[in-house]
Amino acid sequence: MASYLAARKQRRSHCVKSLIIILLFIPAISGVNFDQCLEDIRSGHWGEFGGRNNAGHPVAISNATAITYELCLRACGSGPEPFQWSVFSQQFSSWLLPWLALVSQLPFGSEDKVDNLISMLLTVGSPALAAYSLALTVLNGRWIARRFSSYKFPNTLQAVRILSSLQQSPLQINTHRSLLASLIVLPQNDEWWRELVVWLDYTHAWSISAVTSIAWVIIAYLFTVIDSLTGDVTNAVNANGEGVGSLWIWLLPIVIGWLQISPKCDTKRLFQAMRRANDIAYVATPPGTVVLATSISQEQAISLREGVNDPLYNDERCTVPIYNYARFLPWVRAVEEVSEMFRAASHHAHLHLSVDPSVEWERKEKSATGIDPKNRIGKCVQVQAYCLPLGEQALPTRRSMWGPNVFSRIAIASLIALSLQWGTTGAAVVVVWFTPTTGLGCRSGAYLLYGIVSTVVWMLLLVSSFLSHYVSMRRHPADHLSTILARLISIGIRRLGKVLAVFNAIWIVVTCLFQFSNYLDRCYCNSSVLGRGITAWNVITYDPQDISNMRGAWIGGVVLAAGSATLFVFFVNLFINPRLPN
């Protein structure tokens, strides 16, 4: 019995190997040779009709440089040109491999490997979303610096640096029991601010591997572009990766941008830093004494949300930077709560009002803010009142559920993200669109579909973040119809967006592989049937005008793609590292 099973297993192994060999060599054996096919057609073997010039006009069959799609199917067959390893390896290693290697330089940080994998596929599947999250991060850094710039109160600078660093975190603010007010006002908490800045001061920076990967991509891209433009452009033209290079160039500014921002996205280090800092956080008590906040309860003024299994907040909890789109609105709300308290405290200090009204104001000249620690101590009620605007201690200010200036930042981030997405995708479409036979074909259609799905994914996840924030604001009870619908739609379209992104990432990689392997070098694709329909024709022999037009389109595509990437890098460098409060 054992020998029978072993023999059966061996036969099955031989069958699998044989099948693989057959699948690899069938295209090479039965592939189409369009040059030979055209010679047979010119000889009159397939009749006198169907000959075309490269513009699609009928010509004598003996002078044809192109043929109708119908004649192409009849004379040449529906299959592709045979696979050529030399062409595939050269195109793959020059146009696609460097970009796939560069994906490894994207920031991840989650402790869950599946989350990191999904974030990678989400980035490749929707460059628009990746660029949008990055642009939002840059704009948020500038916004928070300007928001706190007028405050003159201790730890303002540290607050800006900490809150900006926590954009990749599920940040939550607790104002109960004067926790946040105590954190801002009490001099005992100065160490909390200083230490947390230090503990968050780690970087996803310019390592040797990152610099090497970026340099490899840039040099390989430049050399390959120059070689393709100065060499014989008609050589394996339908397997040429000129469009592929333009399509993937969006990855370069995304990687460079995140390296410049250096996001704090290591989940373990973020939570450890917050726990260590909150161990030394103090809170004011009703009698006026100051005690460690942990001696009263486990609640903290500023902390990271953990242990929540609600699927509504899955993206918000994941610290990978591409999910900043999901954290944007709750982060702005959290920052605004801290900002309002700093503003009120700064205003009270500007008027020389102590926390305890019975304590006379004492100015400390050597202090950067001129505020003596004695002016910052009082009972918990007094500390809380010190962080409310004058005259509004009894009635808190009602704020917008969205936060200040959010829509202007969303508009700017969307514009710059879509410019990068469609500048690079459009460049790739231009390159293959103007490669004879011109028009919408398999390659340009595949690139166009990639850009459209990428944009749809961005739109779905953007809407999902709005609905999620609406639910979290609790304007209606949890069992209210609007809340239930918002929750279900938010979760549903977010999952749909991710599924589309994963398939889009797989789609574009497979499309590139099909292009390099000559799989798309067939009558249907070469005739641009998608755009031209039944009147399509297949250009087989190129004339000097075709070559000139191809070179012009390729140069235009490179300029458009490189220009879009450069514009994005310029945008990041324009808004990054804003002037911080003194």
Side-chain angles (χ1 to χ4, degrees), residues 530-575:
L530 280 176
R532 298 188 178 276
I534 59 174
T535 62
W537 67 92
N538 180 12
V539 175
I540 299 177
T541 302
Y542 303 101
D543 58 35
Q545 184 62 41
D546 292 329
I547 296 173
S548 176
N549 292 340
M550 274 194 290
R551 277 206 172 94
W554 290 7
I555 293 172
V558 170
V559 171
L560 178 58
S564 302
T566 303
L567 178 64
F568 191 88
V569 172
F570 174 76
F571 166 82
V572 171
N573 283 273
L574 183 64
F575 288 96

Side-chain angles (χ1 to χ4, degrees), residues 319-384:
T319 59
V320 181
I322 194 174
Y323 294 119
N324 282 4
Y325 82 90
R327 287 182 286 266
F328 172 60
L329 293 173
W331 179 85
V332 170
R333 286 281 303 179
V335 169
E336 187 62 12
E337 287 195 71
V338 178
S339 172
E340 289 295 320
M341 288 198 169
F342 264 99
R343 178 187 288 112
S346 178
H347 187 212
H348 282 87
H350 178 72
L351 297 176
H352 290 183
L353 298 175
S354 296
V355 174
D356 186 346
S358 63
V359 176
E360 186 178 353
W361 182 266
E362 293 187 25
R363 180 174 178 82
K364 189 174 182 181
E365 298 295 340
K366 293 183 179 180
S367 174
T369 58
I371 302 176
D372 192 282
K374 296 178 182 178
N375 302 321
R376 299 166 56 194
I377 298 176
K379 300 177 181 179
C380 65
V381 176
Q382 296 169 334
V383 170
Q384 184 69 30

Side-chain angles (χ1 to χ4, degrees), residues 20 24 35 98 119 134 136 196 241 286 321 332 341 347 435 477 522:
I20 294 175
L24 285 175
D35 292 328
S119 69
L134 197 158
L136 270 185
L196 186 54
V332 170
M341 288 198 169
H347 187 212
T435 299
R522 59 178 68 224

Side-chain angles (χ1 to χ4, degrees), residues 255-270:
V255 170
I256 292 175
W258 283 126
L259 287 172
Q260 288 183 286
I261 294 172
S262 186
K264 311 300 184 290
C265 54
D266 187 315
T267 302
K268 186 176 181 179
R269 296 186 66 168
L270 283 169

Side-chain angles (χ1 to χ4, degrees), residues 128-140:
L129 181 68
Y132 174 76
S133 291
L134 197 158
L136 270 185
T137 306
V138 174
L139 293 172
N140 284 341

Side-chain angles (χ1 to χ4, degrees), residues 312 460 463-464 467 482-495:
L312 185 68
L460 289 174
V463 173
S464 172
L467 293 175
S482 63
T483 303
I484 295 174
L485 286 177
R487 169 184 288 274
L488 293 176
I489 295 173
S490 176
I491 296 173
I493 63 176
R494 186 182 68 237
R495 290 175 176 173

